[in-house]
Amino acid sequence: MQSATVAGYESHATNEFAQGWRVLVASLLGIGCGLAAMPFYTVGVFAPHLAKEFGWSFGEIMAGLTITTVVVIVAAPAAGILCDRFGTRRVAISSLVMFGLAYLSLAMLGNSLVQFYVTWAVIATLGAGTLPITFTRTVNQWFDRHRGVALGIAMTGTGVFGVLCKPLLAWVIGGWGWRAGYVALGLLPLALALPAVVLLFREPLQATLAEGTAPSAELPGLTKSEALRQWRFWLIAIVLLPISFSLAGAVPNLEPILLDRGIDQATILTLTPLIGLTAIAGRIVGGWLLDRFWAPAVAFVLLGAPAISCVILASAQLDPGMARFAILLLGFALGIEYDVVAYLTSRYFGMKSYSAIYSVFYVCFATGAGFGPLIFGIIRDWSHDFAPALLSAAVALPVCAGAFLFLGRYPQLK
C-alpha cells in the first residue's frame, strides 16, 4: 500500500478503520460545522427574520451566498496551498477558530446590507480552511483500500448537519430570537468541531510536521504545475461546471418546481427532506462502489442518472410517487459528487499537491453550484416554467458525466 507506506505508517488494509477512525470523526464534525454546510443549509432559515427586521428582500439576503461563492473561488486555492505547505491540522484548527468567531459576528448585524455582505466575505475567507479540501487530504493519507467509504463517511458531515440544523435553529430562534440562532451556529465549530480536531485529527506525517518541513515532500504524485499540464486535469475541471450547475440548479428550486407541477404544499413538505437523507446514503454507498469499481464508471452512472430526475420533473403531469423517485436520484447524486472528485484527485494526481489540485476542482464545482439556482430562477421568470432549464440539465448530466470514461486507468504515481 504505497500511500500508507510513504505516509510513514504500515497497516494492513483491513486495519485501516481501526487506525483512522479518529480522523474520520474529526473530519465529519469539521466538514459538518464548516463553510461547506453551515451557510447553505441555514440562510433560508434566517431570511424571513432578516426581511422582517431590516426590510431586506429575499434576493438581497440570498446574495450573501453569491458573495460566499465568489470569495471561495480565491480563498479555496489559497487554503489548499497552505494545507500542502503547513499541514492540514494547523490549517483546520486555525480556520475553525476564525470561522466560528466570524459567524458569531452575524449576531451583531445592523440595518446595513454592506455590513451583511462584508461579513459574509470575511466568513468565506476565514472559513476556507474548513472546506473538504482540508479534511479529505488527511483522510486520503490514512486510507487506501477503503478510501471511498472513508471519504463518504467524512463527507456525511454536510448531510448530518443539514438534517439536524433546522430543528436546532427552530428551537433556538423560537425561544431567543434570530440573533441567538447565529450565536448557536457560531458556537458549533468552536465547541464541537474544534475540540474533535485538536484531540483526534492527526496526519501520518506528524513527525515531519514537527520538524517544520513540507508535509507533502515525501508523498507520491504530481505537483500542481505538473497537474496543470495534464489533459486529465482540464477534462475533470471543465465537466464539473455543468454537472454542478445542473444538480445545484434543480435542488434549491425543488419546492417551486413541485408547486408548478400541481403538488400541494403539505405533500411537498414530506418530499423535500428526502434530499438530505438520500445524500447521506449516497455518500456511503457511493464510497463503497468507488472502492470496488473503476471510479470514472461509478461517476458516470451516479452523476448521469439524475438526468432521469430532470425529465420527470419537467413533465407537465407529475404525481407524488414519480416526484419521490426523482428526488431520490437527485439526492443520491448530491451525496457522491464531492467524494468522487476527491477520489479521482487522489488516484490520478496523487497526494503530493492534493489540496492545491483538489481546491481547483472544488472551485469549479462551487462556481456551478453557486450560479445554478440563480440561472434556473431566471429561466423560470422568462419562460414561466422550469422545464427548459430541467431539460437542458437532462442533456448536460449524462454527456458531461460520460466524459469521465475517457480518463483511463489509474496511473502509477511516484
Side-chain angles (χ1 to χ4, degrees), residues 95-324:
S95 190
L96 281 169
V97 172
M98 294 185 292
F99 177 70
L101 294 175
Y103 228 98
L104 284 171
S105 70
L106 285 170
M108 298 181 288
L109 279 176
N111 190 8
S112 170
L113 274 173
V114 173
Q115 178 193 3
F116 183 64
Y117 294 152
V118 169
T119 303
W120 277 117
V122 172
I123 287 173
T125 301
L126 301 180
T130 69
L131 292 170
I133 297 164
T134 300
F135 294 99
T136 58
R137 183 184 191 274
T138 300
V139 170
N140 277 318
Q141 287 181 259
W142 279 100
F143 293 86
D144 183 64
R145 181 178 176 182
H146 302 291
R147 181 173 293 174
V149 172
L151 287 169
I153 293 173
M155 293 292 289
T156 56
T158 56
V160 171
F161 179 85
V163 171
L164 299 179
C165 69
K166 291 186 179 180
L168 170 66
L169 287 175
W171 173 64
V172 173
I173 294 173
W176 296 278
W178 65 267
R179 294 185 188 273
Y182 278 129
V183 171
L185 287 180
L187 289 176
L188 286 178
L190 297 173
L192 189 60
L194 182 61
V197 171
V198 170
L199 295 174
L200 303 176
F201 196 65
R202 294 288 187 278
E203 294 177 88
L205 286 168
Q206 283 297 306
T208 306
L209 285 172
E211 295 171 4
T213 57
S216 59
E218 301 300 325
L219 294 175
L222 307 178
T223 64
K224 184 178 179 180
S225 61
E226 290 171 337
L228 289 173
R229 295 194 293 269
Q230 294 252 332
W231 63 268
R232 288 186 177 92
F233 176 92
W234 293 107
L235 174 65
I236 295 172
I238 291 170
V239 301
L240 284 178
L241 279 166
I243 289 174
S244 62
F245 177 91
S246 300
L247 292 175
V251 172
N253 288 299
L254 195 56
E255 183 169 337
I257 289 172
L258 296 177
L259 285 172
D260 281 355
R261 297 298 175 258
I263 296 179
D264 62 272
Q265 187 68 52
T267 303
I268 290 173
L269 289 176
T270 68
L271 294 175
T272 51
L274 294 174
I275 284 285
L277 296 174
T278 313
I280 295 174
R283 295 200 186 283
I284 304 300
V285 176
W288 182 86
L289 292 172
L290 288 172
D291 286 332
R292 283 157 180 79
F293 302 100
W294 185 46
V298 175
F300 168 61
V301 173
L302 297 185
L303 295 179
I308 300 172
S309 300
C310 294
V311 172
I312 292 172
L313 294 173
S315 62
Q317 300 297 322
L318 181 64
D319 63 79
M322 291 301 292
R324 184 177 295 107

Side-chain angles (χ1 to χ4, degrees), residues 39-69:
F40 297 97
Y41 281 107
T42 63
V43 67
V45 177
F46 289 96
H49 301 281
L50 297 177
K52 181 179 179 181
E53 179 91 8
F54 303 123
W56 301 339
S57 70
F58 274 48
E60 290 172 331
I61 295 168
M62 293 299 175
L65 286 183
T66 304
I67 291 172
T68 300
T69 299

